[in-house]
Amino acid sequence: MPRFSVIVPVFKVQGFLRECLDSVLEQSYRDIEVIAVNDCSPDGCGAILDEYAARDPRVQVLHLPENVGLGRARNAGMPLATGDFLFFLDSDDTLTPGALRAMADRLDASGDPDVLVFDYARTYWWGGTRRNVLAHVLTEVHGTFTVAEHPEILDLLMVVWNKVYRREFVHKHAFEFPPGYYEDTPWTFPVLLSAERIATLDRICLNYRQRRQGNILSTTSRKHFDIHDQYERVFAFVDSRPELASWLPYLHGKMAEHCLDILAKPDRLPPSDKAEFFRRTAELFAKHKPAGTSVDAEVRALEGSYALYRVRRQAGRAGRQLERRALQARKSAAQRVKGGWAALHARRSLVPNLVVYSAFSHRGVLGDPAAVYYKAKEIAPHLRGVWVVANAEQAALLPPDVEHVLLDTLRYRQVTARAQYFVNNVNWPGTLTKRPGSIHIHTHQGTPLKYMAADLLDKPGARYGVDVPQMLRRADRWDYSLVANRHSELVWERAYPCHFASVRTGSPRNDVLVDAGAKAGSDKASSRAGAAVRARLGIPAEHTVVLYAPTRREYVRGGHVDRLDLARFAEDLGPDHTLVVRLHPTLATGHARGMGLADLHRRGILVDATDEPSVEDVMLASDALVTDYSALMFDYANLDRPIVLHADDREAYAASRGAYFDVTAAPPGHVSGSYRELAWLFASGGWRDEDSTRLRGEFRSRYCEFDDGRAAERVVRTLLLGEDDWLPQTESGARVPSPASGHDQLASS
């Protein structure tokens, strides 16, 4: 008996069918059967199904003699199912890699509940991806529950395909699909209301394809009137079970909202039929209104006429337009006031020793600017440091003694109009005007491996959404560009053809790494910050911590590609190891977290450290780094701890984004080109052998050239305090901060 019976109704999807079936049959979890129901499809679907059945014994095909519709096609497949759980997969959707394994593990952990609800992402025909906006509902409970105990589960999309169902539970209640559109409605409500044990899985297991054309629910037709019959079935089910009577007010409101939503959609109903649809909805609304219940304002229109409904909608649209215009007027007035204040302050002299900081698009006290800020507080307390943060939420996370201003407020304009120094690792907004005498220090975000700025002009995919000319205009404000090595110096001068001086300070944020590397070598992370992070993340002190830090890919929209089976890697590392994962910052709020990472973190299989504010702390807490093409490797090399480069898609990455050099030719450690090679490196101990040490040493000598643990002090003393003793004379006569000891000097640009 297989664990899953995957029932796939098929009709006119020959362009998507292979992708759907491959996503199921190529799963690492193999204990399945696929029951494909050919709903008398007029295209080549039947032949495709027979082809798959001939080569994979897990596939059986049922050819229906006539077209019966989506719901009844699912019904036809159920008697053939022998699995523990039923999974109804639409034939134009796909499973994500590892989805069935994650489902099976969750079912085992929760003791085979009646229903398991999992997450999904919408994938659009133009390449975009958007995660379910209510994904947080899946994280609010960890055990099993009933709908009464966690009613928020009903707020999720009421469809059949984001759940799996225990087959015996379905048979016990004789659940089946009715004919017509919206057939999921009279299935999902009765199923969830009847389930005694529901579990959730906070993982994107399914890609819900949003087709440009051909989607049933986006087809203009009178078939949308079927929604009334479907809710009649829901009410009949509840009426037959007195214990469910308390749910009638909720279902009554849900029905009204659903029908009004269909009516409001421009592509659902023929215009000539909308009045009739409203009338039938109002009749259903009145018929099933529970006695003594109040009506929400959103659905109160159903107690009036269709003409009044239209008037209210038109009035609502007009009101929203007036509100938008008023908001625009208020913004314009505020901008004029702010601009007047800024102009007034711009006529006043600069404030000596006022330093304005920002990092990572105003996200907080982070990165190189933070290291400079704290060093300035230590050795030059007369320097007044003010941070720019994006919003009040970010401000609430700041340490209590950090002075700050909110972006684009009057106070922000006042401070930036008169500051003497600006320190940032991202370009300042275009509205900030550089005044004569002000000094802009750009720290960057690490050593560049992938193409940046002007070099992206020949990489149209990588510069999608990037305004390179605007980027360069903002970089024209730089006075100093900090570098940690000669490679960075040459790249920044090429990528940013602007007037600035390259300053060999090293990377201030790496000072803590240099110090830890000098003290601890490749031993366990022993720094106070690293130990604190381990304790906060629940990592045993005696564990070997492997940090996996992948970068984004430009050859896929959204940037996320699963290069590793993280659960397998964590298991293969062994029980005395902890796998810590940190995604690229641009992926932190996207659907990447839902592709298994959040669920694996919740189950304790690995640790998701993407939200840790300081990446330096995460590096200090680790014993080894596994990465691909992330600039993190250049910083991590300062720790003198093992690095493994997992470069299984190097050619695709270089072709799409562009790379300044082939990092696999002179890597910071061993290179793996497949998961098998990666697993072998850790199983054999090769990840920390003599060759690894030698490669790391050579890499450090090239790319940690100016990192000596005093970069932040060097920036403060030379660029903020102007202490010439820290600026040795070069052959060209230009003064630059000294590089790390033992290296030649190169004149500034």
Side-chain angles (χ1 to χ4, degrees):
M1 179 184 297
R3 191 61 164 153
F4 295 105
S5 293
V6 184
I7 298 175
V8 185
V10 177
F11 182 74
K12 294 179 69 173
V13 288
Q14 64 179 7
F16 309 113
L17 184 55
R18 292 183 185 276
E19 185 180 1
C20 172
L21 295 174
D22 288 343
S23 77
V24 177
L25 298 174
E26 294 176 3
Q27 292 276 313
S28 60
Y29 189 84
R30 309 282 297 174
D31 190 16
I32 64 172
E33 64 179 3
V34 176
I35 301 167
V37 182
N38 176 18
D39 191 17
C40 202
S41 185
D43 56 7
C45 286
I48 293 173
L49 294 176
D50 289 339
E51 172 192 332
Y52 274 79
R55 69 173 187 240
D56 195 320
R58 295 175 297 167
V59 180
Q60 57 177 314
V61 181
L62 174 62
H63 294 281
L64 299 182
E66 61 180 359
N67 179 255
V68 297
L70 183 58
R72 288 181 172 177
R74 290 169 179 158
N75 292 339
M78 277 196 279
L80 303 180
T82 63
D84 297 329
F85 284 84
L86 303 178
F87 179 18
F88 300 97
L89 176 65
D90 286 355
S91 49
D92 55 351
D93 295 337
T94 57
L95 295 186
T96 61
L100 290 179
R101 166 57 67 186
M103 291 182 200
D105 289 346
R106 183 68 180 121
L107 291 170
D108 291 343
S110 55
D112 283 10
D114 296 328
V115 182
L116 173 68
V117 186
F118 53 82
D119 202 9
Y120 67 92
R122 297 175 187 265
T123 58
Y124 295 88
W125 60 270
W126 43 266
T129 300
R130 181 167 62 90
R131 188 179 185 182
N132 165 29
V133 296
L134 294 177
H136 62 88
V137 172
L138 301 175
T139 67
E140 295 171 354
V141 288
H142 300 305
T144 59
F145 57 90
T146 64
V147 168
E149 294 168 333
H150 188 45
E152 293 80 8
I153 200 70
L154 295 178
D155 293 334
L156 296 174
L157 193 62
M158 284 289 102
V159 290
V160 65
W161 42 256
N162 64 349
K163 309 169 185 72
V164 295
Y165 314 86
R166 189 165 57 85
R167 186 166 59 92
E168 292 181 0
F169 163 71
V170 172
H171 287 173
K172 173 185 175 182
H173 293 275
F175 292 126
E176 64 177 7
F177 294 91
Y181 279 17
Y182 304 99
E183 74 291 334
D184 287 4
T185 299
W187 169 279
T188 49
F189 281 119
V191 162
L192 289 177
L193 293 173
S194 301
E196 297 178 1
R197 299 176 67 247
I198 302 171
T200 60
L201 173 60
D202 177 25
R203 186 192 194 280
I204 297 174
C205 294
L206 181 140
N207 288 322
Y208 176 30
R209 188 187 302 273
Q210 307 294 289
R211 291 160 65 180
R212 183 171 180 269
Q213 293 180 345
N215 186 300
I216 292 176
L217 295 184
S218 296
T219 302
T220 303
S221 167
R222 281 187 60 86
K223 289 289 289 180
H224 293 284
F225 279 77
D226 289 352
I227 189 65
H228 301 124
D229 291 338
Q230 306 298 20
Y231 271 103
E232 285 283 19
R233 293 182 173 98
V234 173
F235 289 125
F237 176 84
V238 174
D239 289 341
S240 69
R241 290 162 173 76
E243 69 275 11
L244 299 179
S246 62
W247 287 102
L248 282 173
Y250 172 84
L251 294 171
H252 180 256
K254 197 74 171 179
M255 176 275 298
E257 292 174 4
H258 196 169
C259 291
L260 287 176
D261 182 64
I262 293 171
L263 183 62
K265 290 285 195 304
D267 58 352
R268 298 289 175 91
L269 295 162
S272 59
D273 294 328
K274 289 192 172 185
E276 180 186 353
F277 185 89
F278 178 90
R279 177 179 56 78
R280 290 185 54 182
T281 300
E283 291 172 353
L284 188 65
F285 183 78
K287 176 182 176 181
H288 292 286
K289 180 182 178 182
T293 60
S294 59
V295 177
D296 290 341
E298 292 79 6
V299 299
R300 197 170 296 154
L302 289 171
E303 295 184 331
S305 66
Y306 178 62
L308 183 58
Y309 162 79
R310 292 190 62 189
V311 169
R312 287 176 175 172
R313 279 188 55 82
Q314 291 170 356
R317 284 195 293 267
R320 287 190 293 272
Q321 290 176 354
L322 287 174
E323 186 176 343
R324 284 195 295 268
R325 290 172 183 171
L327 179 61
Q328 291 172 353
R330 288 195 296 271
K331 286 183 176 179
S332 297
Q335 291 291 340
R336 287 193 295 272
V337 171
K338 293 174 182 177
W341 276 100
L344 175 63
H345 281 272
R347 289 194 292 269
R348 301 172 65 183
S349 61
L350 297 178
V351 177
N353 302 323
L354 174 57
V355 189
V356 177
Y357 296 90
S358 181
F360 299 105
S361 300
H362 322 298
R363 282 173 36 212
V365 184
L366 301 167
D368 289 308
V372 174
Y373 168 76
Y374 284 118
K375 183 57 67 173
K377 288 188 67 175
E378 175 189 337
I379 65 176
H382 65 283
L383 293 176
R384 176 190 170 198
V386 180
W387 281 85
V388 177
V389 290
N391 49 51
E393 290 75 14
Q394 294 287 356
L397 301 176
L398 296 175
D401 61 339
V402 172
E403 184 179 357
H404 67 275
V405 294
L406 300 185
L407 180 67
D408 204 29
T409 60
L410 177 59
R411 184 62 182 148
Y412 160 80
R413 292 173 183 271
Q414 291 172 339
V415 169
T416 56
R418 301 192 62 195
Q420 183 177 12
Y421 300 102
F422 293 82
V423 182
N424 201 343
N425 65 1
V426 178
N427 265 324
W428 292 98
T431 54
L432 192 153
T433 301
K434 186 180 189 303
R435 292 186 60 188
S438 64
I439 303 298
H440 282 242
I441 301 169
H442 194 76
T443 71
H444 301 283
Q445 297 181 38
T447 294
L449 171 60
K450 54 197 173 190
Y451 278 13
M452 305 292 288
D455 290 332
L456 291 175
L457 292 174
D458 291 332
K459 296 290 182 181
R463 64 178 173 87
Y464 176 77
V466 177
D467 187 341
V468 174
Q470 172 73 335
M471 181 184 296
L472 298 182
R473 284 192 293 271
R474 295 181 180 186
D476 284 333
R477 296 175 296 199
W478 300 354
D479 292 285
Y480 297 108
S481 166
L482 308 189
V483 298
N485 48 63
R486 299 167 201 255
H487 162 72
S488 296
E489 187 170 68
L490 296 176
V491 166
W492 295 138
E493 292 180 13
R494 165 181 160 171
Y496 292 95
C498 308
H499 297 288
F500 58 82
S502 293
V503 191
R504 295 177 170 185
T505 58
S507 295
R509 71 185 184 282
N510 287 345
D511 289 347
V512 64
L513 304 181
V514 175
D515 292 342
K519 295 173 184 176
S522 58
D523 296 334
K524 298 289 185 185
S526 58
S527 71
R528 181 177 303 173
V533 173
R534 285 193 177 209
R536 184 165 64 251
L537 298 178
I539 301 173
E542 69 277 5
H543 271 207
T544 297
V545 177
V546 178
L547 171 61
Y548 176 52
T551 193
R552 64 179 290 118
R553 265 61 173 179
E554 269 68 28
Y555 58 78
V556 293
R557 188 182 292 270
H560 175 70
V561 178
D562 278 321
R563 306 307 310 174
L564 292 180
D565 183 335
L566 296 176
R568 180 182 178 186
F569 188 35
E571 181 179 2
D572 288 346
L573 285 174
D576 56 346
H577 289 62
T578 294
L579 177 62
V580 175
V581 179
R582 186 177 179 89
L583 296 179
H584 190 274
T586 60
L587 303 176
T589 58
H591 74 285
R593 303 289 282 281
M595 298 294 286
L597 183 57
D599 178 58
L600 294 174
H601 175 82
R602 179 182 58 80
R603 291 160 55 193
I605 293 175
L606 51 74
V607 172
D608 177 10
T610 303
D611 289 335
E612 281 295 311
S614 170
V615 68
E616 292 78 34
D617 286 353
V618 177
M619 289 191 279
L620 287 169
S622 68
D623 300 297
L625 171 68
V626 176
T627 188
D628 36 40
Y629 322 105
S630 170
L632 205 67
M633 73 177 82
F634 301 100
D635 304 323
Y636 197 86
N638 283 291
L639 282 169
D640 198 20
R641 298 174 188 171
I643 301 173
V644 174
L645 208 65
H646 186 58
D648 63 337
D649 63 341
R650 179 181 61 82
E651 293 182 357
Y653 181 84
S656 60
R657 176 61 193 241
Y660 289 112
F661 61 94
D662 180 4
V663 69
T664 64
H670 289 296
V671 179
S672 59
S674 66
Y675 178 75
R676 182 178 181 180
E677 293 177 3
L678 177 64
W680 179 85
L681 281 171
F682 280 91
S684 66
W687 62 283
R688 54 182 176 185
D689 62 12
E690 291 183 2
D691 283 341
S692 172
T693 303
R694 174 183 57 79
L695 290 169
R696 185 168 68 253
E698 295 170 353
F699 190 85
R700 289 179 67 218
S701 68
R702 286 191 299 273
Y703 300 111
C704 303
E705 187 177 4
F706 306 143
D707 282 332
D708 62 354
R710 305 189 71 183
E713 182 178 6
R714 186 172 289 115
V715 172
V716 173
R717 292 193 181 280
T718 62
L719 302 184
L720 300 184
L721 300 180
E723 296 182 5
D724 289 346
D725 291 345
W726 282 73
L727 293 169
Q729 191 77 21
T730 65
E731 293 180 1
S732 66
R735 289 182 175 273
V736 297
S738 62
S741 60
H743 295 282
D744 295 334
Q745 298 171 4
L746 186 67
S748 65
S749 59

